[in-house]
């Protein structure tokens, strides 16, 4: 690809578009509606692909999703830094909560089957699903006026949602050890974010760096958590953050359990009726 073509592509992707809005008339919200439709169709396809429970197929699916996320993250980094004249923008460093499925999915697709891989799957089906679902259903904070970034954010969070739903309904079981393992992965990532924030505050000081939005220097804008940050000591905020995210992740697992239990019960009834009829 020649330099002029590369420049033209980057110029187009860095170009402006009307900032999408959710749940309005079609001419204002077509971008959001299209993204939701694609995610719904992709979730059905992924579920059908994984429902036979083939471990190798599941691993290759997760690896493919991880590489897709990685590719679009590299693309995002290029677009945003190109627009900034190749001056690195630390606020987009890819280790926010929603960025972690890039590494978790890719790692899960590369390691050998076992408890560690299972824990990574469980994180993707609980915490990862929650993050993807939250953004896809309420994308106000992520939509901007840049074409390329809007494409990337819908692909990124939509993939998280597709991967989470399909793993939740085909692979992950709702058990106490599932909760313990998935929360352990989350707490490890949260600790890594804290170390990154402290390191940045100590040595870099270039722009804004607020991984997981828990850097005490910059505060927190997440609904409810921002109130805790403003009113309570920082340690209380961190505990509330960890507990709150964990409870929502458990809710994702519970919903998956109820759906699969209902489906299993319905399948058993159909088999029973068929047996009696024959």
């Amino acid at each position: 690809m020649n330099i002029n073509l590369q420049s033209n592509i980057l110029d187009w992707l860095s170009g402006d578009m009307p900032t999408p809005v959710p749940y309005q008339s079609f001419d204002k919200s077509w971008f959001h509606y299209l993204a939701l439709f694609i995610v719904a169709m992709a979730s059905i396809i992924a579920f059908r692909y994984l429902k036979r429970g083939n471990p190798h197929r599941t691993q290759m699916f997760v690896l493919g999703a991880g590489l897709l996320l990685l590719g679009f993250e590299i693309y995002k980094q290029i677009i945003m830094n190109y627009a900034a004249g190749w001056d690195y923008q630390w606020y987009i460093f890819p280790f926010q909560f929603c960025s972690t499925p890039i590494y978790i999915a890719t790692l899960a697709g590369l390691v050998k089957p076992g408890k560690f891989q299972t824990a990574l799957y469980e994180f993707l089906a609980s915490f990862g699903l929650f993050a993807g679902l939250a953004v896809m259903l309420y994308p106000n904070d992520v939509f901007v006026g840049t074409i390329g970034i809007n494409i990337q954010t819908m692909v990124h969070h939509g993939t998280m949602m597709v991967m989470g739903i399909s793993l939740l309904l085909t692979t992950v079981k709702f058990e106490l050890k599932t909760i313990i393992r998935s929360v352990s992965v989350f707490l490890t990532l949260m600790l890594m974010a804290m170390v990154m924030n402290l390191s940045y505050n100590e040595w870099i000081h270039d722009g804004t760096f607020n991984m997981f939005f828990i850097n005490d220097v910059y505060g927190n804008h997440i609904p409810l958590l921002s109130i805790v940050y403003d009113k309570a000591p920082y340690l209380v905020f961190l505990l509330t953050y960890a507990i709150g995210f964990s409870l929502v992740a458990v809710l994702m697992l519970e919903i998956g359990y109820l759906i699969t239990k209902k489906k299993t019960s319905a399948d058993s009834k159909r088999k029973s009726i068929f047996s009696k009829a024959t």
Side-chain angles (χ1 to χ4, degrees), residues 210-221:
N210 193 5
M211 299 303 100
F212 277 45
F213 300 111
I214 56 174
N215 191 336
D216 195 28
V217 173
Y218 302 105
N220 185 281
H221 70 278

Side-chain angles (χ1 to χ4, degrees), residues 195-209:
V195 171
M196 290 180 183
N197 287 332
L198 291 171
S199 300
Y200 174 88
N201 296 343
E202 184 69 25
W203 292 298
I204 300 179
H205 309 291
D206 181 17
T208 301
F209 190 87

Side-chain angles (χ1 to χ4, degrees), residues 233-262:
Y234 182 60
L235 179 59
V236 174
F237 162 73
L238 289 177
L239 290 173
T240 304
Y241 185 104
I243 294 171
F245 273 70
S246 297
L247 288 176
V248 178
V250 172
L251 177 62
M252 296 294 103
L253 294 171
E254 172 71 13
I255 291 172
Y257 167 73
L258 293 175
I259 292 173
T260 53
K261 181 181 179 182
K262 185 175 181 180

Side-chain angles (χ1 to χ4, degrees), residues 44 68 90 93 108 139 141 165 246 253:
I44 293 172
L68 177 66
W90 281 102
F93 187 82
D141 292 341
I165 289 173
S246 297
L253 294 171

Side-chain angles (χ1 to χ4, degrees), residues 2-273:
N2 61 51
I3 295 177
N4 288 334
L5 181 58
Q6 289 179 348
S7 180
N8 289 337
I9 293 174
L10 289 174
D11 285 338
W12 182 80
L13 291 172
S14 300
D16 295 332
M17 69 177 291
T19 301
V21 293
Y23 308 117
Q24 299 295 321
S25 60
F26 185 79
D27 61 324
K28 294 181 179 179
S29 301
W30 67 268
F31 188 82
H32 183 221
Y33 292 142
L34 177 61
L36 289 175
F37 175 77
I38 293 173
V39 167
M41 294 299 101
S43 297
I44 293 172
I45 293 170
F47 169 73
R48 290 182 177 276
Y49 181 73
L50 298 182
K51 69 178 182 178
R52 295 182 180 178
N54 184 307
H56 178 72
R57 177 175 286 194
T58 300
Q59 185 170 9
M60 290 301 98
F61 167 77
V62 172
L63 177 59
L67 293 176
L68 177 66
L69 293 176
L70 178 61
F72 269 89
E73 181 60 39
I74 293 171
Y75 149 83
K76 169 188 170 183
Q77 297 289 322
I78 292 172
I79 292 300
M80 296 195 73
N81 286 287
Y82 172 76
W86 300 113
D87 180 21
Y88 190 74
Q89 305 298 294
W90 281 102
Y91 75 93
I92 62 168
F93 187 82
F95 204 81
Q96 294 292 6
F97 176 59
C98 286
S99 304
T100 56
I102 299 172
Y103 317 109
I104 298 300
T106 304
L107 182 60
L110 293 174
V111 299
K112 294 181 179 180
K115 291 183 179 179
F116 180 58
Q117 185 189 65
T118 299
L120 300 180
Y121 286 166
E122 290 163 344
F123 172 85
L124 294 170
S126 52
F127 289 91
L129 173 57
F130 158 60
L133 186 65
V135 172
M136 291 304 298
L137 295 182
Y138 188 76
N140 298 56
D141 292 341
V142 299
F143 281 144
V144 295
T146 305
I147 296 171
I149 299 306
N150 288 329
I151 294 173
Q152 185 274 337
T153 195
M154 288 294 97
V155 171
H156 183 95
H157 294 95
T159 300
M160 289 167 58
M161 189 171 164
V162 171
M163 182 165 46
I165 289 173
S166 55
L167 288 174
L168 186 64
L169 299 182
T170 64
T171 306
V172 172
K173 299 179 180 178
F174 183 68
E175 300 173 336
L176 177 60
K177 58 185 178 182
T178 298
I179 297 172
I180 293 172
R181 284 192 296 248
S182 59
V183 170
S184 296
V185 174
F186 169 69
L187 292 178
T188 300
L189 294 169
M190 186 176 171
L191 179 61
M192 291 172 65
M194 292 174 64
V195 171
M196 290 180 183
N197 287 332
L198 291 171
S199 300
Y200 174 88
N201 296 343
E202 184 69 25
W203 292 298
I204 300 179
H205 309 291
D206 181 17
T208 301
F209 190 87
N210 193 5
M211 299 303 100
F212 277 45
F213 300 111
I214 56 174
N215 191 336
D216 195 28
V217 173
Y218 302 105
N220 185 281
H221 70 278
I222 300 173
L224 299 181
L225 284 171
S226 60
I227 298 174
V228 178
Y229 179 85
D230 292 335
K231 303 293 185 181
Y234 182 60
L235 179 59
V236 174
F237 162 73
L238 289 177
L239 290 173
T240 304
Y241 185 104
I243 294 171
F245 273 70
S246 297
L247 288 176
V248 178
V250 172
L251 177 62
M252 296 294 103
L253 294 171
E254 172 71 13
I255 291 172
Y257 167 73
L258 293 175
I259 292 173
T260 53
K261 181 181 179 182
K262 185 175 181 180
K263 182 179 183 300
T264 301
S265 177
D267 290 343
S268 297
K269 288 181 179 179
R270 281 197 294 269
K271 289 180 181 178
S272 176
I273 294 170

